[in-house]
Amino acid sequence: MSKIPKWKRELAKLAREAKDKPAKLGPDIDIQEFESSTPGQEVLSNLTELPEEVQKSAETVGISPQERERSGSFFQYDQSVILACAHKETPEVEVCSTSEALKKYDWLRDYWWKVVPVDMDKYTAFAETNQHHGYFIRSKPGARSIFPVQACLFMGTQRSIQCPHNIIIAEENSELHIITGCTTHPSTNSGLHIGVSEFYIKEGATLTFTMIHRWGRDFEVRPRTGAMIEKGGTFLSTYICFKPAKTLQMYPVAHCVGEKSTARFHTLLHGMDDSLLDVGSRAILKAKGSRAEITARAIGEGSSRIIARGHLVGEMPETKAHLDCRGLLLSEKAVIHAIPELEGRVEGTDLSHEATVGKIEEEQLYYLMSRGLNEEEATGLIIKGFLDPEVPGLPERLRMEIKKAVQLTTEKAL
Amino acid sequence: MSLLEVKDLHVKVGDKEILRGVDLAVKKGEVHVVMGPNASGKTTLIMTLLGYPGYRITQGEIVFNGVNFNEKPIHERVASGLFIAFQTPPEIRGVKLRDLIRIAGGRDPWDPLEGKKETIATPLLEKVGLDPATFFSRDVNVGFSGGEKKRSELAQIFAARPKLMVLDEPDSGVDIDSLKTLGLDLGDYIRENNCAALVITHYRHILPYIRPDKASVMCHGRVIVTGDPYEIFSKIEEKGYCEYLGVCPPDMKSLVEREKTYEQDSQVEKGTG
């Protein structure tokens, strides 16, 4: 008992108190229904040693088993970290598990539950009480990595829980790119994923974070994400969910605390069958000259329900933010519910939004058909265009990478 | 045998009969102009030729290149050599113009991941005067000017190499200089490829470029007159549709009245001046 430091004990207390606290949004889940322990997995020296079907699944969420054009890799299988390393050629990037980083760095406590509250709800509380590793990725001051670090959170045990706690730090004036893929073994179709991610973008740093999710039909997914952006820093987050879970609820928050800091969220959602996706992005402009942009594209198929939220908060003058949400309904039973919120707290903040929800415009469809496509091909082209992941500010190479992942997933999904 | 034969075509949109027995024929390589007052059925004819849902043929037939088109889906009509350039084509966000040009030419969209240079759409963009440096990555019609939309349609015609091109008011929303280059490009293409054209227009400006062989005038959902285009144009310009056709389209009755009043007013003004 005495070995556990005081700050950890305090967190444990907060977590205990919040252990039954339901989340503000999304259907409540009984965590007890899931298996809290999973069989251990062996540590690997590279990802090509993984079974073929695991490699294939990982590839569909942007992970390269050959680690081609990557500056580091992290792979967590259920609750075991099987690979965590930065490449020798990129010593300016650090990759390890957060459990290891906690041992190594005393200062990590300054980043632990600092941008996501530990007692936010029962899921964050559970993650603190039962932490299953997670990744620690840090770019050193001034580092400019061209290639992204890849991180895969993989679930391979039926009805199990995975709750990693990730810490990502882009130190001053550094540039860091991360691709995260979360997916499952083809034979695993139910489980609970709670991923806690805390991002720290220091002065003048740029962090691009691309997360691709592919779940099984009975998965419950509750990511909890927060980002702190300092002076002149930029946070670009792209989230893609093309194979949804039974229920997914997340509402990442970017805190623009430094002058002229920028946050950008781009979300692509594809609802099918009877899945429920309740996904939002929130940006809080807390310093002069800070900017935020939230874009969301949602496609509803089957009898899926998508709630696309967005919330912009302007707390300082000379701030500006825009929210743009578009929903495309492809079936009679699907529902897309866009909820954009603007909250101006001072004069001199400029917040705006636009939201549209509807089906494919016949005029567009027939126009493409008049160029020789049949109805199916024309629909596919419109959907692909709708999901075009053109995120301003993403490096060309990374944009291509995302495009490839989108192509792969749309081809399979549509 | 004609390339396109429209025989006694009756078409309903909803419950309303718009076309009431259209007869029209276009031979291979023929340039045929269609005129007529607003609401005479010109656009309905085009939409029906293309097979847009909602335009229901209740009588008569469309035969293209010897094949009955009445029940054919849009893409099959296009595949057999019919191409329509729209008056105001829609904007489609996320779909690239270069890909649409390729599709019109029967190709797949360009795959940037393959890393190969694009060689189908690029020269066509250049040919129609849309700078590939910017238009290569532009979304279909998004933010295009009137003239740029027409050029985009033109590039697609060039890619599709149709047997019959149908142009819906190619001269609307285009300034006089653009009309000239557009007209020259169109005219050259038509003659070089012996491509037949059915052109809807209200004005004679484009005629010298496309050099029509025939003109038809529509009114009340029928073709009333077919003949020498220049003769017909002169007469319509001189007399107006009402007098020339000897029938008055519904929305023109008030116009005739207004024109009379206008003439009387100006005489009064002259008198006082």
Side-chain angles (χ1 to χ4, degrees):
Chain A
M1 188 68 192
S2 60
K3 270 186 185 168
I4 299 172
K6 194 176 163 231
W7 68 276
K8 262 292 209 185
R9 285 206 305 274
E10 280 167 4
L11 284 173
K13 184 169 172 278
L14 285 172
R16 267 199 310 279
E17 283 164 8
K19 82 176 185 19
D20 297 316
K21 184 180 170 184
K24 277 194 186 145
L25 302 169
D28 191 42
I29 295 163
D30 183 0
I31 299 178
Q32 306 303 324
E33 277 184 18
F34 295 87
E35 189 55 55
S36 61
S37 69
T38 54
Q41 300 286 333
E42 269 178 54
V43 172
L44 306 176
S45 57
N46 73 68
L47 295 178
T48 54
E49 290 168 29
L50 284 164
E52 202 174 313
E53 73 272 15
V54 176
Q55 288 188 40
K56 274 196 179 147
S57 297
E59 272 184 302
T60 63
V61 289
I63 304 298
S64 163
Q66 295 77 29
E67 301 181 52
R68 236 176 248 135
E69 301 194 332
R70 296 288 186 265
S71 57
S73 294
F74 176 91
F75 200 106
Q76 179 165 339
Y77 195 114
D78 288 334
Q79 294 160 14
S80 311
V81 175
I82 60 172
L83 187 91
C85 66
H87 284 185
K88 285 191 203 85
E89 302 85 48
T90 48
E92 68 277 12
V93 179
E94 205 176 338
V95 180
C96 67
S97 74
T98 34
S99 31
E100 201 175 304
L102 275 174
K103 284 180 214 154
K104 199 168 158 189
Y105 297 123
D106 197 36
W107 49 255
L108 200 58
R109 71 162 88 169
D110 298 332
Y111 298 87
W112 201 253
W113 297 115
K114 292 298 185 206
V115 71
V116 175
V118 64
D119 56 355
M120 187 175 166
D121 52 36
K122 63 207 259 188
Y123 311 109
T124 53
F126 185 86
E128 174 56 20
T129 317
N130 307 269
Q131 192 212 331
H132 301 151
H133 304 293
Y135 51 80
F136 171 79
I137 301 173
R138 173 174 170 255
S139 57
K140 292 176 185 164
R144 301 264 146 183
S145 64
I146 310 162
F147 299 126
V149 174
Q150 60 177 1
C152 186
L153 299 168
F154 191 90
M155 294 184 70
T157 303
Q158 194 74 352
R159 287 206 75 71
S160 67
I161 306 176
Q162 188 183 50
C163 59
H165 186 159
N166 312 310
I167 302 278
I168 300 94
I169 305 170
E171 296 285 4
E172 280 185 18
N173 297 312
S174 70
E175 196 177 310
L176 178 61
H177 307 291
I178 298 172
I179 292 181
T180 293
C182 299
T183 190
T184 67
H185 193 278
S187 66
T188 311
N189 53 35
S190 74
L192 168 62
H193 177 87
I194 304 167
V196 177
S197 302
E198 300 189 86
F199 295 89
Y200 298 90
I201 297 96
K202 299 290 183 66
E203 200 173 316
T206 297
L207 175 67
T208 77
F209 180 73
T210 304
M211 181 157 79
I212 304 173
H213 277 183
R214 283 177 68 86
W215 299 106
R217 56 168 302 149
D218 283 323
F219 267 85
E220 307 281 3
V221 184
R222 297 292 183 273
R224 296 293 179 254
T225 305
M228 185 95 78
I229 308 142
E230 293 181 10
K231 191 177 169 185
T234 302
F235 176 54
L236 297 180
S237 166
T238 305
Y239 175 62
I240 301 166
C241 182
F242 280 166
K243 196 174 173 217
K246 183 177 170 196
T247 75
L248 160 70
Q249 187 274 316
M250 60 189 258
Y251 211 153
V253 185
H255 302 262
C256 291
V257 295
E259 280 186 18
K260 293 191 171 168
S261 55
T262 305
R264 214 172 244 154
F265 287 103
H266 187 55
T267 306
L268 306 177
L269 302 169
H270 180 197
M272 43 186 177
D273 303 326
D274 57 352
S275 58
L276 169 69
L277 308 180
D278 185 335
V279 178
S281 307
R282 178 176 283 137
I284 308 173
L285 306 172
K286 296 178 171 175
K288 271 190 182 175
S290 53
R291 301 259 179 284
E293 190 182 355
I294 296 173
T295 50
R297 299 284 180 270
I299 287 184
E301 277 196 285
S303 51
S304 61
R305 271 191 75 204
I306 299 175
I307 306 171
R309 299 174 195 271
H311 187 193
L312 299 172
V313 187
E315 296 188 349
M316 283 296 268
E318 292 169 43
T319 53
K320 191 176 166 70
H322 184 70
L323 200 160
D324 168 21
C325 175
R326 289 170 211 266
L328 193 57
L329 289 164
L330 295 184
S331 89
E332 294 283 313
K333 286 185 187 157
V335 177
I336 297 176
H337 185 170
I339 310 178
E341 290 181 68
L342 307 180
E343 187 178 334
R345 293 172 165 271
V346 285
E347 224 181 319
T349 183
D350 176 3
L351 310 175
S352 58
H353 80 82
E354 51 188 316
T356 56
V357 175
K359 57 178 187 173
I360 288 184
E361 281 178 40
E362 284 186 347
E363 200 195 357
Q364 296 185 348
L365 189 68
Y366 299 147
Y367 181 60
L368 293 182
M369 287 166 74
S370 79
R371 290 342 183 206
L373 298 179
N374 64 33
E375 187 167 348
E376 213 171 289
E377 292 164 336
T379 307
L381 194 67
I382 291 172
I383 292 170
K384 266 188 196 163
F386 183 78
L387 294 175
D388 199 12
E390 300 266 343
V391 190
L394 270 191
E396 180 63 15
R397 198 186 296 270
L398 199 61
R399 213 171 54 83
M400 287 292 201
E401 195 83 38
I402 297 169
K403 216 170 180 125
K404 204 169 6 183
V406 170
Q407 240 175 37
L408 244 164
T409 27
T410 40
E411 267 159 30
K412 288 204 173 178
L414 302 167
Chain B
M1 192 191 70
S2 292
L3 175 63
L4 173 72
E5 264 183 281
V6 178
K7 294 180 212 159
D8 189 30
L9 191 68
H10 290 248
V11 171
K12 273 188 176 175
V13 177
D15 285 335
K16 202 177 169 197
E17 188 168 54
I18 309 283
L19 299 187
R20 306 166 201 195
V22 171
D23 288 292
L24 186 81
V26 180
K27 288 200 193 81
K28 195 168 177 289
E30 176 183 310
V31 178
H32 195 129
V33 169
V34 177
M35 288 172 277
N38 293 328
S40 57
K42 302 183 302 290
T43 302
T44 300
L45 175 63
I46 288 193
M47 293 312 201
T48 312
L49 284 181
L50 190 57
Y52 260 46
Y55 293 83
R56 202 157 39 88
I57 299 178
T58 51
Q59 198 180 315
E61 61 175 351
I62 300 167
V63 179
F64 186 79
N65 213 16
V67 179
N68 186 306
F69 258 25
N70 285 27
E71 301 294 327
K72 287 249 182 278
I74 299 175
H75 67 275
E76 284 182 30
R77 300 181 191 215
V78 177
S80 46
L82 178 70
F83 192 96
I84 300 207
F86 291 88
Q87 190 187 340
T88 39
E91 297 183 357
I92 310 180
R93 235 166 249 285
V95 176
K96 303 291 175 203
L97 173 59
R98 57 156 193 263
D99 291 337
L100 197 59
I101 294 172
R102 291 176 63 92
I103 286 165
R107 315 271 180 145
D108 284 334
W110 182 62
D111 183 2
L113 301 173
E114 269 184 15
K116 282 188 205 145
K117 204 174 154 2
E118 204 288 328
T119 56
I120 308 291
T122 311
L124 288 175
L125 284 170
E126 208 151 355
K127 191 172 170 184
V128 300
L130 295 174
D131 184 7
T134 51
F135 280 88
F136 187 76
S137 302
R138 294 274 295 267
D139 290 349
V140 173
N141 295 320
V142 178
F144 286 23
S145 71
E148 284 165 349
K149 283 183 185 170
K150 304 286 182 195
R151 284 160 204 273
S152 150
E153 295 289 287
L154 195 62
Q156 294 170 55
I157 294 176
F158 292 168
R161 309 184 63 81
K163 294 189 177 75
L164 173 69
M165 62 166 94
V166 180
L167 311 174
D168 190 3
E169 299 194 21
D171 43 7
S172 71
V174 185
D175 66 52
I176 210 82
D177 291 338
S178 303
L179 183 67
K180 194 172 176 180
T181 44
L182 199 74
L184 285 169
D185 285 345
L186 259 175
D188 286 350
Y189 180 83
I190 287 171
R191 280 180 290 279
E192 278 166 24
N193 296 278
N194 194 29
C195 179
L198 189 65
V199 185
I200 292 184
T201 182
H202 288 295
Y203 311 104
R204 63 157 70 229
H205 307 105
I206 202 165
L207 301 189
Y209 305 111
I210 58 172
R211 298 182 205 160
D213 303 297
K214 262 185 198 168
S216 291
V217 182
M218 282 184 77
C219 192
H220 281 309
R222 283 191 197 94
V223 171
I224 309 281
V225 187
T226 298
D228 178 74
Y230 298 96
E231 215 169 282
I232 290 178
F233 249 103
S234 301
K235 280 186 183 158
I236 291 173
E237 278 170 354
E238 186 192 330
K239 299 180 175 174
Y241 282 117
C242 281
E243 202 185 327
Y244 173 64
L245 298 172
V247 284
C248 221
D251 59 340
M252 288 232 167
K253 279 181 189 154
S254 64
L255 186 72
V256 174
E257 295 303 315
R258 277 174 60 195
E259 208 164 24
K260 273 184 192 160
T261 335
Y262 179 79
E263 277 165 16
Q264 283 165 4
D265 286 353
S266 39
Q267 274 166 7
V268 171
E269 267 172 39
K270 270 181 202 162
T272 53

